[in-house]
mmCIF file with all atom_site columns, all heavy atoms in Angstrom:
data_model
loop_
_atom_site.group_PDB
_atom_site.id
_atom_site.type_symbol
_atom_site.label_atom_id
_atom_site.label_alt_id
_atom_site.label_comp_id
_atom_site.label_asym_id
_atom_site.label_entity_id
_atom_site.label_seq_id
_atom_site.pdbx_PDB_ins_code
_atom_site.Cartn_x
_atom_site.Cartn_y
_atom_site.Cartn_z
_atom_site.occupancy
_atom_site.B_iso_or_equiv
_atom_site.pdbx_formal_charge
_atom_site.auth_seq_id
_atom_site.auth_comp_id
_atom_site.auth_asym_id
_atom_site.auth_atom_id
_atom_site.pdbx_PDB_model_num
ATOM 1   N N   . GLY H 1 1  ? -6.575  -4.797 -7.217 1.00 96.00 ? 8  GLY H N   1
ATOM 2   C CA  . GLY H 1 1  ? -7.212  -5.989 -7.759 1.00 96.00 ? 8  GLY H CA  1
ATOM 3   C C   . GLY H 1 1  ? -8.706  -6.020 -7.555 1.00 96.00 ? 8  GLY H C   1
ATOM 4   O O   . GLY H 1 1  ? -9.334  -7.072 -7.720 1.00 96.00 ? 8  GLY H O   1
ATOM 5   N N   . THR H 1 2  ? -9.308  -4.880 -7.230 1.00 94.00 ? 9  THR H N   1
ATOM 6   C CA  . THR H 1 2  ? -10.727 -4.827 -6.886 1.00 94.00 ? 9  THR H CA  1
ATOM 7   C C   . THR H 1 2  ? -11.434 -3.680 -7.606 1.00 94.00 ? 9  THR H C   1
ATOM 8   O O   . THR H 1 2  ? -10.815 -2.897 -8.317 1.00 94.00 ? 9  THR H O   1
ATOM 9   C CB  . THR H 1 2  ? -10.917 -4.607 -5.372 1.00 94.00 ? 9  THR H CB  1
ATOM 10  O OG1 . THR H 1 2  ? -10.638 -3.227 -5.056 1.00 94.00 ? 9  THR H OG1 1
ATOM 11  C CG2 . THR H 1 2  ? -10.016 -5.498 -4.547 1.00 94.00 ? 9  THR H CG2 1
ATOM 12  N N   . ALA H 1 3  ? -12.742 -3.586 -7.360 1.00 92.00 ? 10 ALA H N   1
ATOM 13  C CA  . ALA H 1 3  ? -13.540 -2.448 -7.811 1.00 92.00 ? 10 ALA H CA  1
ATOM 14  C C   . ALA H 1 3  ? -13.808 -1.494 -6.656 1.00 92.00 ? 10 ALA H C   1
ATOM 15  O O   . ALA H 1 3  ? -14.662 -0.608 -6.761 1.00 92.00 ? 10 ALA H O   1
ATOM 16  C CB  . ALA H 1 3  ? -14.859 -2.941 -8.406 1.00 92.00 ? 10 ALA H CB  1
ATOM 17  N N   . ASP H 1 4  ? -13.075 -1.660 -5.562 1.00 94.00 ? 11 ASP H N   1
ATOM 18  C CA  . ASP H 1 4  ? -13.285 -0.875 -4.340 1.00 94.00 ? 11 ASP H CA  1
ATOM 19  C C   . ASP H 1 4  ? -12.135 0.101  -4.150 1.00 94.00 ? 11 ASP H C   1
ATOM 20  O O   . ASP H 1 4  ? -10.997 -0.322 -3.896 1.00 94.00 ? 11 ASP H O   1
ATOM 21  C CB  . ASP H 1 4  ? -13.368 -1.829 -3.146 1.00 94.00 ? 11 ASP H CB  1
ATOM 22  C CG  . ASP H 1 4  ? -13.534 -1.093 -1.822 1.00 94.00 ? 11 ASP H CG  1
ATOM 23  O OD1 . ASP H 1 4  ? -13.748 0.139  -1.834 1.00 94.00 ? 11 ASP H OD1 1
ATOM 24  O OD2 . ASP H 1 4  ? -13.432 -1.761 -0.775 1.00 94.00 ? 11 ASP H OD2 1
ATOM 25  N N   . PRO H 1 5  ? -12.362 1.413  -4.269 1.00 95.00 ? 12 PRO H N   1
ATOM 26  C CA  . PRO H 1 5  ? -11.256 2.360  -4.123 1.00 95.00 ? 12 PRO H CA  1
ATOM 27  C C   . PRO H 1 5  ? -10.595 2.327  -2.755 1.00 95.00 ? 12 PRO H C   1
ATOM 28  O O   . PRO H 1 5  ? -9.398  2.608  -2.637 1.00 95.00 ? 12 PRO H O   1
ATOM 29  C CB  . PRO H 1 5  ? -11.907 3.723  -4.404 1.00 95.00 ? 12 PRO H CB  1
ATOM 30  C CG  . PRO H 1 5  ? -13.368 3.510  -4.209 1.00 95.00 ? 12 PRO H CG  1
ATOM 31  C CD  . PRO H 1 5  ? -13.640 2.087  -4.581 1.00 95.00 ? 12 PRO H CD  1
ATOM 32  N N   . ALA H 1 6  ? -11.341 1.963  -1.714 1.00 96.00 ? 13 ALA H N   1
ATOM 33  C CA  . ALA H 1 6  ? -10.748 1.895  -0.379 1.00 96.00 ? 13 ALA H CA  1
ATOM 34  C C   . ALA H 1 6  ? -9.647  0.841  -0.313 1.00 96.00 ? 13 ALA H C   1
ATOM 35  O O   . ALA H 1 6  ? -8.728  0.935  0.502  1.00 96.00 ? 13 ALA H O   1
ATOM 36  C CB  . ALA H 1 6  ? -11.822 1.599  0.664  1.00 96.00 ? 13 ALA H CB  1
ATOM 37  N N   . ALA H 1 7  ? -9.715  -0.172 -1.174 1.00 97.00 ? 14 ALA H N   1
ATOM 38  C CA  . ALA H 1 7  ? -8.751  -1.270 -1.121 1.00 97.00 ? 14 ALA H CA  1
ATOM 39  C C   . ALA H 1 7  ? -7.347  -0.835 -1.486 1.00 97.00 ? 14 ALA H C   1
ATOM 40  O O   . ALA H 1 7  ? -6.378  -1.476 -1.080 1.00 97.00 ? 14 ALA H O   1
ATOM 41  C CB  . ALA H 1 7  ? -9.210  -2.402 -2.042 1.00 97.00 ? 14 ALA H CB  1
ATOM 42  N N   . LEU H 1 8  ? -7.202  0.249  -2.256 1.00 98.00 ? 15 LEU H N   1
ATOM 43  C CA  . LEU H 1 8  ? -5.845  0.703  -2.574 1.00 98.00 ? 15 LEU H CA  1
ATOM 44  C C   . LEU H 1 8  ? -5.105  1.129  -1.314 1.00 98.00 ? 15 LEU H C   1
ATOM 45  O O   . LEU H 1 8  ? -3.907  0.876  -1.167 1.00 98.00 ? 15 LEU H O   1
ATOM 46  C CB  . LEU H 1 8  ? -5.877  1.857  -3.572 1.00 98.00 ? 15 LEU H CB  1
ATOM 47  C CG  . LEU H 1 8  ? -4.477  2.377  -3.916 1.00 98.00 ? 15 LEU H CG  1
ATOM 48  C CD1 . LEU H 1 8  ? -3.685  1.348  -4.715 1.00 98.00 ? 15 LEU H CD1 1
ATOM 49  C CD2 . LEU H 1 8  ? -4.528  3.696  -4.651 1.00 98.00 ? 15 LEU H CD2 1
ATOM 50  N N   . HIS H 1 9  ? -5.803  1.767  -0.384 1.00 98.00 ? 16 HIS H N   1
ATOM 51  C CA  . HIS H 1 9  ? -5.163  2.179  0.863  1.00 98.00 ? 16 HIS H CA  1
ATOM 52  C C   . HIS H 1 9  ? -4.741  0.952  1.680  1.00 98.00 ? 16 HIS H C   1
ATOM 53  O O   . HIS H 1 9  ? -3.688  0.959  2.320  1.00 98.00 ? 16 HIS H O   1
ATOM 54  C CB  . HIS H 1 9  ? -6.107  3.081  1.660  1.00 98.00 ? 16 HIS H CB  1
ATOM 55  C CG  . HIS H 1 9  ? -6.394  4.367  0.956  1.00 98.00 ? 16 HIS H CG  1
ATOM 56  N ND1 . HIS H 1 9  ? -5.609  5.490  1.104  1.00 98.00 ? 16 HIS H ND1 1
ATOM 57  C CD2 . HIS H 1 9  ? -7.364  4.716  0.074  1.00 98.00 ? 16 HIS H CD2 1
ATOM 58  C CE1 . HIS H 1 9  ? -6.085  6.466  0.356  1.00 98.00 ? 16 HIS H CE1 1
ATOM 59  N NE2 . HIS H 1 9  ? -7.151  6.021  -0.272 1.00 98.00 ? 16 HIS H NE2 1
ATOM 60  N N   . ARG H 1 10 ? -5.536  -0.093 1.633  1.00 98.00 ? 17 ARG H N   1
ATOM 61  C CA  . ARG H 1 10 ? -5.150  -1.346 2.278  1.00 98.00 ? 17 ARG H CA  1
ATOM 62  C C   . ARG H 1 10 ? -3.916  -1.938 1.594  1.00 98.00 ? 17 ARG H C   1
ATOM 63  O O   . ARG H 1 10 ? -3.014  -2.461 2.253  1.00 98.00 ? 17 ARG H O   1
ATOM 64  C CB  . ARG H 1 10 ? -6.320  -2.329 2.228  1.00 98.00 ? 17 ARG H CB  1
ATOM 65  C CG  . ARG H 1 10 ? -6.025  -3.712 2.791  1.00 98.00 ? 17 ARG H CG  1
ATOM 66  C CD  . ARG H 1 10 ? -5.681  -3.673 4.254  1.00 98.00 ? 17 ARG H CD  1
ATOM 67  N NE  . ARG H 1 10 ? -5.494  -5.010 4.798  1.00 98.00 ? 17 ARG H NE  1
ATOM 68  C CZ  . ARG H 1 10 ? -4.780  -5.275 5.874  1.00 98.00 ? 17 ARG H CZ  1
ATOM 69  N NH1 . ARG H 1 10 ? -4.174  -4.294 6.540  1.00 98.00 ? 17 ARG H NH1 1
ATOM 70  N NH2 . ARG H 1 10 ? -4.663  -6.505 6.316  1.00 98.00 ? 17 ARG H NH2 1
ATOM 71  N N   . GLU H 1 11 ? -3.855  -1.828 0.256  1.00 98.00 ? 18 GLU H N   1
ATOM 72  C CA  . GLU H 1 11 ? -2.698  -2.307 -0.485 1.00 98.00 ? 18 GLU H CA  1
ATOM 73  C C   . GLU H 1 11 ? -1.421  -1.611 -0.024 1.00 98.00 ? 18 GLU H C   1
ATOM 74  O O   . GLU H 1 11 ? -0.374  -2.247 0.161  1.00 98.00 ? 18 GLU H O   1
ATOM 75  C CB  . GLU H 1 11 ? -2.908  -2.074 -1.987 1.00 98.00 ? 18 GLU H CB  1
ATOM 76  C CG  . GLU H 1 11 ? -1.822  -2.648 -2.875 1.00 98.00 ? 18 GLU H CG  1
ATOM 77  C CD  . GLU H 1 11 ? -1.899  -4.161 -3.021 1.00 98.00 ? 18 GLU H CD  1
ATOM 78  O OE1 . GLU H 1 11 ? -2.947  -4.765 -2.691 1.00 98.00 ? 18 GLU H OE1 1
ATOM 79  O OE2 . GLU H 1 11 ? -0.895  -4.752 -3.456 1.00 98.00 ? 18 GLU H OE2 1
ATOM 80  N N   . LEU H 1 12 ? -1.495  -0.295 0.172  1.00 98.00 ? 19 LEU H N   1
ATOM 81  C CA  . LEU H 1 12 ? -0.319  0.446  0.631  1.00 98.00 ? 19 LEU H CA  1
ATOM 82  C C   . LEU H 1 12 ? 0.108   -0.017 2.018  1.00 98.00 ? 19 LEU H C   1
ATOM 83  O O   . LEU H 1 12 ? 1.302   -0.171 2.298  1.00 98.00 ? 19 LEU H O   1
ATOM 84  C CB  . LEU H 1 12 ? -0.621  1.948  0.639  1.00 98.00 ? 19 LEU H CB  1
ATOM 85  C CG  . LEU H 1 12 ? -0.915  2.569  -0.732 1.00 98.00 ? 19 LEU H CG  1
ATOM 86  C CD1 . LEU H 1 12 ? -1.208  4.052  -0.584 1.00 98.00 ? 19 LEU H CD1 1
ATOM 87  C CD2 . LEU H 1 12 ? 0.224   2.339  -1.711 1.00 98.00 ? 19 LEU H CD2 1
ATOM 88  N N   . GLU H 1 13 ? -0.853  -0.261 2.898  1.00 98.00 ? 20 GLU H N   1
ATOM 89  C CA  . GLU H 1 13 ? -0.524  -0.781 4.231  1.00 98.00 ? 20 GLU H CA  1
ATOM 90  C C   . GLU H 1 13 ? 0.200   -2.126 4.139  1.00 98.00 ? 20 GLU H C   1
ATOM 91  O O   . GLU H 1 13 ? 1.194   -2.364 4.845  1.00 98.00 ? 20 GLU H O   1
ATOM 92  C CB  . GLU H 1 13 ? -1.799  -0.985 5.052  1.00 98.00 ? 20 GLU H CB  1
ATOM 93  C CG  . GLU H 1 13 ? -2.474  0.283  5.518  1.00 98.00 ? 20 GLU H CG  1
ATOM 94  C CD  . GLU H 1 13 ? -3.724  -0.065 6.308  1.00 98.00 ? 20 GLU H CD  1
ATOM 95  O OE1 . GLU H 1 13 ? -3.642  -0.957 7.183  1.00 98.00 ? 20 GLU H OE1 1
ATOM 96  O OE2 . GLU H 1 13 ? -4.769  0.552  6.050  1.00 98.00 ? 20 GLU H OE2 1
ATOM 97  N N   . LEU H 1 14 ? -0.293  -3.002 3.266  1.00 97.00 ? 21 LEU H N   1
ATOM 98  C CA  . LEU H 1 14 ? 0.303   -4.329 3.143  1.00 97.00 ? 21 LEU H CA  1
ATOM 99  C C   . LEU H 1 14 ? 1.692   -4.267 2.519  1.00 97.00 ? 21 LEU H C   1
ATOM 100 O O   . LEU H 1 14 ? 2.570   -5.069 2.867  1.00 97.00 ? 21 LEU H O   1
ATOM 101 C CB  . LEU H 1 14 ? -0.624  -5.230 2.331  1.00 97.00 ? 21 LEU H CB  1
ATOM 102 C CG  . LEU H 1 14 ? -1.917  -5.620 3.050  1.00 97.00 ? 21 LEU H CG  1
ATOM 103 C CD1 . LEU H 1 14 ? -2.913  -6.242 2.079  1.00 97.00 ? 21 LEU H CD1 1
ATOM 104 C CD2 . LEU H 1 14 ? -1.636  -6.577 4.205  1.00 97.00 ? 21 LEU H CD2 1
ATOM 105 N N   . LEU H 1 15 ? 1.914   -3.331 1.602  1.00 98.00 ? 22 LEU H N   1
ATOM 106 C CA  . LEU H 1 15 ? 3.260   -3.155 1.055  1.00 98.00 ? 22 LEU H CA  1
ATOM 107 C C   . LEU H 1 15 ? 4.238   -2.760 2.159  1.00 98.00 ? 22 LEU H C   1
ATOM 108 O O   . LEU H 1 15 ? 5.360   -3.268 2.225  1.00 98.00 ? 22 LEU H O   1
ATOM 109 C CB  . LEU H 1 15 ? 3.251   -2.097 -0.051 1.00 98.00 ? 22 LEU H CB  1
ATOM 110 C CG  . LEU H 1 15 ? 2.597   -2.496 -1.375 1.00 98.00 ? 22 LEU H CG  1
ATOM 111 C CD1 . LEU H 1 15 ? 2.565   -1.309 -2.326 1.00 98.00 ? 22 LEU H CD1 1
ATOM 112 C CD2 . LEU H 1 15 ? 3.335   -3.673 -2.026 1.00 98.00 ? 22 LEU H CD2 1
ATOM 113 N N   . VAL H 1 16 ? 3.813   -1.845 3.025  1.00 97.00 ? 23 VAL H N   1
ATOM 114 C CA  . VAL H 1 16 ? 4.677   -1.427 4.134  1.00 97.00 ? 23 VAL H CA  1
ATOM 115 C C   . VAL H 1 16 ? 4.897   -2.589 5.098  1.00 97.00 ? 23 VAL H C   1
ATOM 116 O O   . VAL H 1 16 ? 6.017   -2.822 5.572  1.00 97.00 ? 23 VAL H O   1
ATOM 117 C CB  . VAL H 1 16 ? 4.072   -0.198 4.849  1.00 97.00 ? 23 VAL H CB  1
ATOM 118 C CG1 . VAL H 1 16 ? 4.824   0.109  6.129  1.00 97.00 ? 23 VAL H CG1 1
ATOM 119 C CG2 . VAL H 1 16 ? 4.104   1.015  3.912  1.00 97.00 ? 23 VAL H CG2 1
ATOM 120 N N   . HIS H 1 17 ? 3.839   -3.322 5.368  1.00 96.00 ? 24 HIS H N   1
ATOM 121 C CA  . HIS H 1 17 ? 3.971   -4.479 6.265  1.00 96.00 ? 24 HIS H CA  1
ATOM 122 C C   . HIS H 1 17 ? 4.952   -5.509 5.684  1.00 96.00 ? 24 HIS H C   1
ATOM 123 O O   . HIS H 1 17 ? 5.644   -6.218 6.426  1.00 96.00 ? 24 HIS H O   1
ATOM 124 C CB  . HIS H 1 17 ? 2.599   -5.127 6.471  1.00 96.00 ? 24 HIS H CB  1
ATOM 125 C CG  . HIS H 1 17 ? 2.601   -6.250 7.470  1.00 96.00 ? 24 HIS H CG  1
ATOM 126 N ND1 . HIS H 1 17 ? 2.792   -6.059 8.823  1.00 96.00 ? 24 HIS H ND1 1
ATOM 127 C CD2 . HIS H 1 17 ? 2.456   -7.590 7.299  1.00 96.00 ? 24 HIS H CD2 1
ATOM 128 C CE1 . HIS H 1 17 ? 2.751   -7.219 9.447  1.00 96.00 ? 24 HIS H CE1 1
ATOM 129 N NE2 . HIS H 1 17 ? 2.552   -8.172 8.543  1.00 96.00 ? 24 HIS H NE2 1
ATOM 130 N N   . ALA H 1 18 ? 5.032   -5.574 4.339  1.00 96.00 ? 25 ALA H N   1
ATOM 131 C CA  . ALA H 1 18 ? 5.910   -6.545 3.679  1.00 96.00 ? 25 ALA H CA  1
ATOM 132 C C   . ALA H 1 18 ? 7.335   -6.028 3.499  1.00 96.00 ? 25 ALA H C   1
ATOM 133 O O   . ALA H 1 18 ? 8.170   -6.740 2.937  1.00 96.00 ? 25 ALA H O   1
ATOM 134 C CB  . ALA H 1 18 ? 5.332   -6.928 2.328  1.00 96.00 ? 25 ALA H CB  1
ATOM 135 N N   . GLY H 1 19 ? 7.626   -4.812 3.964  1.00 95.00 ? 26 GLY H N   1
ATOM 136 C CA  . GLY H 1 19 ? 9.001   -4.329 3.934  1.00 95.00 ? 26 GLY H CA  1
ATOM 137 C C   . GLY H 1 19 ? 9.256   -3.018 3.226  1.00 95.00 ? 26 GLY H C   1
ATOM 138 O O   . GLY H 1 19 ? 10.354  -2.478 3.291  1.00 95.00 ? 26 GLY H O   1
ATOM 139 N N   . PHE H 1 20 ? 8.262   -2.488 2.512  1.00 97.00 ? 27 PHE H N   1
ATOM 140 C CA  . PHE H 1 20 ? 8.415   -1.166 1.909  1.00 97.00 ? 27 PHE H CA  1
ATOM 141 C C   . PHE H 1 20 ? 8.479   -0.104 2.992  1.00 97.00 ? 27 PHE H C   1
ATOM 142 O O   . PHE H 1 20 ? 7.851   -0.238 4.047  1.00 97.00 ? 27 PHE H O   1
ATOM 143 C CB  . PHE H 1 20 ? 7.208   -0.845 1.022  1.00 97.00 ? 27 PHE H CB  1
ATOM 144 C CG  . PHE H 1 20 ? 7.303   -1.346 -0.391 1.00 97.00 ? 27 PHE H CG  1
ATOM 145 C CD1 . PHE H 1 20 ? 7.555   -2.684 -0.659 1.00 97.00 ? 27 PHE H CD1 1
ATOM 146 C CD2 . PHE H 1 20 ? 7.126   -0.488 -1.452 1.00 97.00 ? 27 PHE H CD2 1
ATOM 147 C CE1 . PHE H 1 20 ? 7.626   -3.154 -1.957 1.00 97.00 ? 27 PHE H CE1 1
ATOM 148 C CE2 . PHE H 1 20 ? 7.195   -0.939 -2.761 1.00 97.00 ? 27 PHE H CE2 1
ATOM 149 C CZ  . PHE H 1 20 ? 7.446   -2.264 -3.010 1.00 97.00 ? 27 PHE H CZ  1
ATOM 150 N N   . THR H 1 21 ? 9.216   0.966  2.742  1.00 98.00 ? 28 THR H N   1
ATOM 151 C CA  . THR H 1 21 ? 9.056   2.148  3.578  1.00 98.00 ? 28 THR H CA  1
ATOM 152 C C   . THR H 1 21 ? 7.796   2.869  3.098  1.00 98.00 ? 28 THR H C   1
ATOM 153 O O   . THR H 1 21 ? 7.363   2.700  1.949  1.00 98.00 ? 28 THR H O   1
ATOM 154 C CB  . THR H 1 21 ? 10.254  3.105  3.444  1.00 98.00 ? 28 THR H CB  1
ATOM 155 O OG1 . THR H 1 21 ? 10.272  3.647  2.109  1.00 98.00 ? 28 THR H OG1 1
ATOM 156 C CG2 . THR H 1 21 ? 11.557  2.396  3.734  1.00 98.00 ? 28 THR H CG2 1
ATOM 157 N N   . PRO H 1 22 ? 7.180   3.706  3.949  1.00 98.00 ? 29 PRO H N   1
ATOM 158 C CA  . PRO H 1 22 ? 6.029   4.471  3.466  1.00 98.00 ? 29 PRO H CA  1
ATOM 159 C C   . PRO H 1 22 ? 6.350   5.324  2.241  1.00 98.00 ? 29 PRO H C   1
ATOM 160 O O   . PRO H 1 22 ? 5.514   5.469  1.343  1.00 98.00 ? 29 PRO H O   1
ATOM 161 C CB  . PRO H 1 22 ? 5.654   5.332  4.676  1.00 98.00 ? 29 PRO H CB  1
ATOM 162 C CG  . PRO H 1 22 ? 6.090   4.518  5.855  1.00 98.00 ? 29 PRO H CG  1
ATOM 163 C CD  . PRO H 1 22 ? 7.365   3.865  5.407  1.00 98.00 ? 29 PRO H CD  1
ATOM 164 N N   . LEU H 1 23 ? 7.572   5.861  2.176  1.00 98.00 ? 30 LEU H N   1
ATOM 165 C CA  . LEU H 1 23 ? 7.962   6.662  1.017  1.00 98.00 ? 30 LEU H CA  1
ATOM 166 C C   . LEU H 1 23 ? 7.965   5.809  -0.250 1.00 98.00 ? 30 LEU H C   1
ATOM 167 O O   . LEU H 1 23 ? 7.524   6.253  -1.319 1.00 98.00 ? 30 LEU H O   1
ATOM 168 C CB  . LEU H 1 23 ? 9.347   7.268  1.256  1.00 98.00 ? 30 LEU H CB  1
ATOM 169 C CG  . LEU H 1 23 ? 9.796   8.381  0.302  1.00 98.00 ? 30 LEU H CG  1
ATOM 170 C CD1 . LEU H 1 23 ? 8.894   9.598  0.417  1.00 98.00 ? 30 LEU H CD1 1
ATOM 171 C CD2 . LEU H 1 23 ? 11.249  8.779  0.601  1.00 98.00 ? 30 LEU H CD2 1
ATOM 172 N N   . GLN H 1 24 ? 8.439   4.579  -0.151 1.00 98.00 ? 31 GLN H N   1
ATOM 173 C CA  . GLN H 1 24 ? 8.440   3.675  -1.301 1.00 98.00 ? 31 GLN H CA  1
ATOM 174 C C   . GLN H 1 24 ? 7.017   3.287  -1.698 1.00 98.00 ? 31 GLN H C   1
ATOM 175 O O   . GLN H 1 24 ? 6.711   3.140  -2.890 1.00 98.00 ? 31 GLN H O   1
ATOM 176 C CB  . GLN H 1 24 ? 9.259   2.429  -0.985 1.00 98.00 ? 31 GLN H CB  1
ATOM 177 C CG  . GLN H 1 24 ? 10.749  2.686  -0.878 1.00 98.00 ? 31 GLN H CG  1
ATOM 178 C CD  . GLN H 1 24 ? 11.515  1.515  -0.279 1.00 98.00 ? 31 GLN H CD  1
ATOM 179 O OE1 . GLN H 1 24 ? 10.951  0.674  0.436  1.00 98.00 ? 31 GLN H OE1 1
ATOM 180 N NE2 . GLN H 1 24 ? 12.812  1.444  -0.560 1.00 98.00 ? 31 GLN H NE2 1
ATOM 181 N N   . ALA H 1 25 ? 6.151   3.108  -0.711 1.00 98.00 ? 32 ALA H N   1
ATOM 182 C CA  . ALA H 1 25 ? 4.763   2.760  -1.009 1.00 98.00 ? 32 ALA H CA  1
ATOM 183 C C   . ALA H 1 25 ? 4.064   3.902  -1.742 1.00 98.00 ? 32 ALA H C   1
ATOM 184 O O   . ALA H 1 25 ? 3.326   3.669  -2.705 1.00 98.00 ? 32 ALA H O   1
ATOM 185 C CB  . ALA H 1 25 ? 4.020   2.416  0.281  1.00 98.00 ? 32 ALA H CB  1
ATOM 186 N N   . VAL H 1 26 ? 4.302   5.146  -1.297 1.00 98.00 ? 33 VAL H N   1
ATOM 187 C CA  . VAL H 1 26 ? 3.713   6.295  -1.992 1.00 98.00 ? 33 VAL H CA  1
ATOM 188 C C   . VAL H 1 26 ? 4.219   6.350  -3.431 1.00 98.00 ? 33 VAL H C   1
ATOM 189 O O   . VAL H 1 26 ? 3.449   6.593  -4.369 1.00 98.00 ? 33 VAL H O   1
ATOM 190 C CB  . VAL H 1 26 ? 4.022   7.605  -1.237 1.00 98.00 ? 33 VAL H CB  1
ATOM 191 C CG1 . VAL H 1 26 ? 3.641   8.822  -2.072 1.00 98.00 ? 33 VAL H CG1 1
ATOM 192 C CG2 . VAL H 1 26 ? 3.282   7.638  0.099  1.00 98.00 ? 33 VAL H CG2 1
ATOM 193 N N   . ARG H 1 27 ? 5.509   6.118  -3.624 1.00 98.00 ? 34 ARG H N   1
ATOM 194 C CA  . ARG H 1 27 ? 6.066   6.130  -4.984 1.00 98.00 ? 34 ARG H CA  1
ATOM 195 C C   . ARG H 1 27 ? 5.412   5.071  -5.860 1.00 98.00 ? 34 ARG H C   1
ATOM 196 O O   . ARG H 1 27 ? 5.134   5.302  -7.045 1.00 98.00 ? 34 ARG H O   1
ATOM 197 C CB  . ARG H 1 27 ? 7.584   5.901  -4.937 1.00 98.00 ? 34 ARG H CB  1
ATOM 198 C CG  . ARG H 1 27 ? 8.260   5.951  -6.305 1.00 98.00 ? 34 ARG H CG  1
ATOM 199 C CD  . ARG H 1 27 ? 9.742   5.602  -6.221 1.00 98.00 ? 34 ARG H CD  1
ATOM 200 N NE  . ARG H 1 27 ? 10.379  5.666  -7.531 1.00 98.00 ? 34 ARG H NE  1
ATOM 201 C CZ  . ARG H 1 27 ? 10.353  4.689  -8.430 1.00 98.00 ? 34 ARG H CZ  1
ATOM 202 N NH1 . ARG H 1 27 ? 9.715   3.559  -8.135 1.00 98.00 ? 34 ARG H NH1 1
ATOM 203 N NH2 . ARG H 1 27 ? 10.950  4.835  -9.601 1.00 98.00 ? 34 ARG H NH2 1
#
């Protein structure tokens, strides 16, 4: 949701924090 490429990595962290496995977040 941003113009900052670093924010995608934060998005993946938050998906995992919300219940995704890391494998699901990568997918």
